Amino acid sequence: MIPELGHFALILAAMLAIAQSILPLWGAQRGDVRLMGSAAPLAVAGLIAITISFAALIWAYVTNDMTVVNVVANSHSAKPMLFKVTGVWGNHEGSLILWVMVLAGCSAAVAAFGGALPSALQARVQAVMGMILLGFLAFIIFTSNPFERIWPPPPDGQGLNPLLQDIGLAIHPPLLYIGYVGYAVTFAFAVAALIEGRVDAAWGRWVRPWSLAAWSFLTMGISIGSWWAYYELGWGGYWFWDPVENASLLPWLAGTALLHSAIVVEKREALKIWTVLLALLAFALSLLGTFLVRSGVLNSVHSFASDPARGLFILCLLGIYVAGAFALFAWRAPAMAPAGVFAPISREGGIVLNNLLLCSITAVVFVGTLYPLFLDLLTGQMISVGPPFFNAATAPLALPLVMAMAVGPMLAWKRASLWPVLQRLWWAACVALLAFILTLALAGWHVLSALGFACAFWLLAGAVADIADRAGVGRTSLGNAWNRARNLPRAAWGAAIAHAGVGVTILGISGMGLSTEKLVAVPPGGSTTFAGYEWRLEGVRDFVGPNFTARKATITVLRDGRVVHVMEPSKRYFPTGRMTTTEAAIRTSPAGDLYAVLGEERANEAGVNEAVLRLHNNPLAPWIWIGAGIMALGAAFSLSDRRIRIAAPARRRKEEAEAPA
């Protein structure tokens, strides 16, 4: 009965989405206040219906309802309760329910917090959100029904993919989806503005908080996915340029450019075409990522589905939404003449450079990810594009981007002089140069890592210099500078914190460039030396978990005869899925990670069993994810600024609400 309730709730949500797609748009066209006012209650009602459906699916998982095909395929009675719940979105059908629930939540949030929006604009935004919601609800109902029944029910389920039975994968998808779907809001604002034929400073301020929130959640989602791959897959790395990893990176890059471009629209009413284009592009790339993960065209540990019919349905949605939006953009773009004129050397010019470099990196990643697919489709030839290509192609673009990140925030609007800014950054350049020289001296001839350390300290020092310059350090007394710093807008502090977070992440990546690895076979009681430590294998024993069996090694790490840490890497075998996973043991400190992976056991020439150990020394590795957290914190701090959250009262709301389009 509960699954049927969930199914009917989905159908009700689809009917509400049809009404949300038509009535507010019709009302905005006719200037009918009542029809425009229907947008908010329809959005809230749709959220309630989808939440009921999602709760019904959770109930089926928690109660082990083996009459539901989705539960049979992705759960098991022996699975821990936490992973029963998170298993709801650990599969194709359930993750789509979460997707549409987040989308409906965003639509309801626009209704709740968009009171300052002109009625016509809010109605058009809600109508576009309703159209997106309707497409995905139709996709679920017609191709991916999570409540399909099976009879007679099997005695137990097939279990969830063991790689997904992890706390990192419990958190990663919801954060990622909020980021993806957040760009649906900016997309809806862009389409609504194109329908209305008007983009101004107030529109830029309304778009900015949504792009900021989406960027923050997407940053956290990507970083937690990277962290999961680091410790769960046992490969010892943080980023592998996997096609599905790239699929999440693409909207993040476009969203970063959108975030900066929206500031210019708000402040100067310039870069209107850039901003609208980036808003369309960010969501288009989010949909592309959804297609890649669910179409079966990619083989990845991240992929959800391998049904070409489902992929074709998403491809049709992608074509309808993106082609329609870009056709509207081509029609309206010539009329969006920029109001603000600026010199090449200015804050606006710096943001244009930022956009060009970010879009160039996006194009490189896009081509590198999709080119093998098109080549296979056209010629049948299969090739692999891996880290060497991406690293070599993106590094020359990333370097000037990082250089400009410290300079851009200190440039004046409209017209600026570069030399005074460089003079205020002289000490930051000295810090970066010192970091470069010290890395070469202490770590050997690792030029790329030394360059990375220089970039990291350049950004960190640049963020400090930005705040110091705004506070007037060197131009007024320290007391006055402190008071000015305290009274700076939170958005200014947030931007500096986010830029510093990029520097911290680059610091961790540069440290990983100095990592070392050793593969060795050690008998119980034996030891090996690596990275200045003695690694002693105390033994290997069997271990039984709630739904798996395991072989666990105990490794004592010593320095100068003193125990530093005890590590217990393991290999787990899941009988239900007939799959073995690797559980790395990691000793984390501010200086880096000691990382151990247990391999196969074998007998040596003397007949003594040995365990194969793969040991890593990863300097500064934790700072990769700490930096991502600092970036998201900076975005959240900016979002806490009331001047960003509350739209500027630049438009005459009553006239806009009553006037026909």
Side-chain angles (χ1 to χ4, degrees), residues 148-166:
E148 184 179 348
R149 293 281 198 173
I150 183 174
W151 195 265
D156 217 330
Q158 301 171 14
L160 182 66
N161 184 340
L163 288 174
L164 304 181
Q165 296 183 39
D166 182 85

Side-chain angles (χ1 to χ4, degrees), residues 445-466:
W445 195 250
H446 291 275
V447 178
L448 291 179
S449 290
L451 194 59
F453 279 112
C455 290
F457 281 98
W458 166 256
L459 280 180
L460 290 168
V464 174
D466 180 29

Side-chain angles (χ1 to χ4, degrees), residues 408-451:
M410 300 180 69
L411 292 172
W413 292 103
K414 193 174 181 179
R415 184 182 299 277
S417 179
L418 186 60
W419 179 244
V421 174
L422 296 178
Q423 285 180 313
R424 295 198 294 272
L425 285 169
W426 68 268
W427 66 271
C430 291
V431 169
L433 180 61
L434 182 62
F436 182 81
I437 295 171
L438 286 177
T439 304
L440 289 181
L442 298 177
W445 195 250
H446 291 275
V447 178
L448 291 179
S449 290
L451 194 59

